[in-house]
């Protein structure tokens, strides 16, 4: 299955915003950018919400039919492993194979030795077109990198083959994800990883490395922008080199698991894509969930009261909600408003505190509170417990919620990356 050049991963945790999300891709197409929608939802999110992957498929298919979308679209089994893939086999055609937990696991010494023996080209000076300085390695470095990543890649191969046995090799797109780990992978490490993936005969079309800097959920990038730009371009060059060197799919491209709202790196991504004529997959995580809460707050009345209730419960259970996301959030508890304070806010105050604006909108307002935003980002479990009360409120305020969802995805994310 061939994966298009530009794609955009969109979370829809409560399966109510597929039309609004698709509208953002339709606006992009009208302005000259073909951006393929990929609806993604992880097993963890399904368990929290009590949903099934078939429900996500039904919502996406219904939106495509109703909106008249005739271009490709995909459904992503997000961050799956051997324990979770089976429930996604029938409805999904994109599989994000997550092996971050396997990075650093001890590999068989014989397997490491065989890998190094198979790849003498990885030792010494490696000149890659469009990278200023050659990579310089020695046998010890390649062995060390193999010890760090070989077990993870081999596990990815095991997961891929299990999916392929159930679904057929030609019926899905495979991604390998290594982003939810502590240390970033350097471009030369990426090259060694790609050589190992080729050995496993896994025809991945996207790979999600961990980049330098912080990719916290729902807020802007934290790190050195020049270093990110350099790393991103070197990764693009490394992938182009590895595709030819190791006979990987020509559609192979970087996947950026942004955690939403990484506005400051979007110019570097756009410039890199233009310079290399490369594709990219950008995954926005929980942006849509936050826009739902913003829409409810903007609607006022009972919808605003529900948004305040969700925050109060998130505040009361902050430690529990934050624990699964400890590596991708930084919340300063002293900066969180109390529920009593929030209870006195107007609709406008709530929206301004939660809404993360892009630089094109003159940046964040003084009232914007990134700690408030991050807590609500991981607080969707509260809305899940509300069940039909939450989704009924979404439906009652569909117009204002959908407007926020579409504007956010198109104006703040798709436009700066794919249209400029």
């Amino acid at each position: 299955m061939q994966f298009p050049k530009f794609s955009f991963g969109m979370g829809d945790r409560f399966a109510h915003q597929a039309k609004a999300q698709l509208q953002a891709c339709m606006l992009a197409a009208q302005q000259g950018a073909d951006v393929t929608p990929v609806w993604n939802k992880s097993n963890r999110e399904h368990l929290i919400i009590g949903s099934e992957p078939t429900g996500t498929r039904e919502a996406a298919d219904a939106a495509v039919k109703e909106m008249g979308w005739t271009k490709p679209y995909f459904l992503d089994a997000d961050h799956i492993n051997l324990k979770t893939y089976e429930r996604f086999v029938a409805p999904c055609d994109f599989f994000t194979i997550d092996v971050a937990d396997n990075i650093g696991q001890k590999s068989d010494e014989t397997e490491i030795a065989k890998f190094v023996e198979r790849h003498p080209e990885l030792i010494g000076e490696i000149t890659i077109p469009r990278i200023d300085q050659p990579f310089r390695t020695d046998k010890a470095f390649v062995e060390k990198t193999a010890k760090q990543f070989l077990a993870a890649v081999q596990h990815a191969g095991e997961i891929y083959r299990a999916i392929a046995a159930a679904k057929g090799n030609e019926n899905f797109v495979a991604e390998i994800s290594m982003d939810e780990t502590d240390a970033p992978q350097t471009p030369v490490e990426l090259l060694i990883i790609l050589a190992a993936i080729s050995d496993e005969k896994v025809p991945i079309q996207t790979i999600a490395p961990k980049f330098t800097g912080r990719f916290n959920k729902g807020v802007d990038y934290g790190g050195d922008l020049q270093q990110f730009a350099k790393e991103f371009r070197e990764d693009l060059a490394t992938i182009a080199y590895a595709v030819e060197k190791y006979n990987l799919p020509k559609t192979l491209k970087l996947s950026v698991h942004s955690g939403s709202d990484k506005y400051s790196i979007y110019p570097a991504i756009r410039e890199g894509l233009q310079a290399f004529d490369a594709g990219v997959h950008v995954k926005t995580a929980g942006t849509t969930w936050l826009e739902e809460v913003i829409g409810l707050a903007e609607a006022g009345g009972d919808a605003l009261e529900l948004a305040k209730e969700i925050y109060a419960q998130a505040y009361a259970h902050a430690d529990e909600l934050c624990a699964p996301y400890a590596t991708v959030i930084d919340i300063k508890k002293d900066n969180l408003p109390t529920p009593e304070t929030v209870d006195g806010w107007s609709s406008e105050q709530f929206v301004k505190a939660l809404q993360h604006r892009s630089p094109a909108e003159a940046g964040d307002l003084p009232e914007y509170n990134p700690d408030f935003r991050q807590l609500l980002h991981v607080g969707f479990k509260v809305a899940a417990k509300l069940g039909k009360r939450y989704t009924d409120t979404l439906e009652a305020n569909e117009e204002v919620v959908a407007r926020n969802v579409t504007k956010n995805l198109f104006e703040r994310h798709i436009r700066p990356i794919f249209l400029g």
Side-chain angles (χ1 to χ4, degrees), residues 367-399:
E367 297 90 342
Y368 168 62
N369 184 330
D371 301 286
F372 179 70
R373 183 174 171 86
Q374 286 182 89
L375 179 57
L376 276 171
H377 194 292
V378 300
F380 67 96
K381 187 175 184 178
V382 175
K385 288 182 177 179
L386 293 172
K388 198 168 185 298
R389 185 175 162 218
Y390 177 72
T391 54
D392 283 352
T393 307
L394 284 182
E395 290 167 11
N397 297 277
E398 180 180 357
E399 184 178 348

Side-chain angles (χ1 to χ4, degrees), residues 54 108 119 129 235 253 259 269 277 292 376:
T54 51
D108 182 274
H119 294 286
D235 280 352
K253 59 185 181 179
I269 291 175
D277 190 24
E292 287 180 341
L376 276 171

Side-chain angles (χ1 to χ4, degrees), residues 3-15:
F3 196 44
K5 185 175 183 179
F6 298 135
S7 52
F8 197 74
M10 306 179 293
D12 188 13
R13 285 170 177 165
F14 295 94

Side-chain angles (χ1 to χ4, degrees), residues 123-135:
I123 299 171
E125 186 171 284
I126 306 167
T127 300
I128 294 180
R130 310 287 295 275
I131 293 181
D132 293 339
Q133 297 294 326
F135 296 149

Side-chain angles (χ1 to χ4, degrees), residues 28-49:
Q30 291 168 11
Q31 298 192 27
D34 282 332
V35 180
T36 297
V38 181
W39 280 279
N40 51 264
K41 191 169 178 179
S42 69
N43 191 63
R44 177 169 60 189
E45 289 165 359
H46 280 296
L47 292 175
I48 288 171
I49 291 166

Side-chain angles (χ1 to χ4, degrees), residues 121 126-129 191 236-246:
E121 78 284 356
I126 306 167
T127 300
I128 294 180
L191 178 62
L236 292 176
T238 298
I239 286 174
Y241 176 85
V243 163
E244 298 300 324
K245 187 76 174 177
Y246 299 115

Side-chain angles (χ1 to χ4, degrees), residues 152-403:
V153 171
Q154 290 174 336
H155 188 60
E158 188 178 358
I159 298 169
Y160 172 82
R161 287 185 285 275
I163 299 167
K167 198 170 182 71
N169 288 350
E170 302 301 321
N171 295 321
F172 67 99
V173 170
E175 169 176 303
I176 291 180
S177 167
M178 297 183 169
D179 68 302
E180 292 193 1
T181 187
D182 291 332
Q185 294 101 44
T186 64
V188 67
E189 287 174 335
L190 178 62
L191 178 62
I192 295 170
I193 290 166
L194 290 171
I197 290 170
S198 175
D199 287 350
E200 282 293 307
K201 295 181 170 52
V202 179
I204 60 167
Q205 296 192 59
T206 63
I207 185 165
K210 181 175 176 63
F211 294 97
T212 298
R214 292 288 295 181
F215 283 76
N216 287 342
K217 297 289 187 183
V219 295
D220 207 346
Y221 173 75
D224 185 327
L225 291 174
Q226 288 187 329
Q227 175 61 27
F228 172 82
K230 178 177 184 292
E231 198 171 286
F232 186 78
R233 292 170 73 98
E234 289 186 351
D235 280 352
L236 292 176
T238 298
I239 286 174
Y241 176 85
V243 163
E244 298 300 324
K245 187 76 174 177
Y246 299 115
N247 196 32
L248 291 163
K250 294 191 181 299
T251 49
L252 177 59
K253 59 185 181 179
L254 275 175
S255 179
V256 181
H257 291 196
S258 72
S260 310
D261 297 18
K262 301 302 174 285
Y263 303 138
S264 60
I265 67 171
Y266 290 170
I269 291 175
R270 177 164 174 76
E271 289 165 9
L273 299 181
Q274 290 180 317
F276 285 82
D277 190 24
V280 73
H281 179 57
V282 179
K283 189 177 293 189
T284 64
T287 290
T288 291
W289 146 246
L290 289 174
E291 292 303 318
E292 287 180 341
V293 180
I294 288 168
L296 295 182
E298 186 180 321
D302 291 343
L304 172 61
E305 293 308 310
L306 185 61
K308 291 177 178 179
E309 182 181 334
I310 290 170
Y311 176 71
Q313 289 298 315
Y315 185 91
H317 299 278
D319 290 343
E320 171 196 338
L321 295 170
C322 292
Y325 299 93
T327 61
V328 285
I329 54 174
D330 282 316
I331 296 176
K332 300 177 182 66
K333 291 187 177 180
D334 290 345
N335 292 345
L336 291 172
T338 65
E340 292 75 18
T341 297
V342 173
D343 194 49
W345 282 357
S346 66
S347 174
E348 183 180 19
Q349 285 175 302
F350 195 107
V351 170
K352 285 183 176 179
L354 184 56
Q355 191 174 69
H356 188 193
R357 297 184 175 222
S358 68
E361 299 171 287
D364 297 320
L365 299 170
E367 297 90 342
Y368 168 62
N369 184 330
D371 301 286
F372 179 70
R373 183 174 171 86
Q374 286 182 89
L375 179 57
L376 276 171
H377 194 292
V378 300
F380 67 96
K381 187 175 184 178
V382 175
K385 288 182 177 179
L386 293 172
K388 198 168 185 298
R389 185 175 162 218
Y390 177 72
T391 54
D392 283 352
T393 307
L394 284 182
E395 290 167 11
N397 297 277
E398 180 180 357
E399 184 178 348
V400 63
V401 171
R403 182 176 66 247

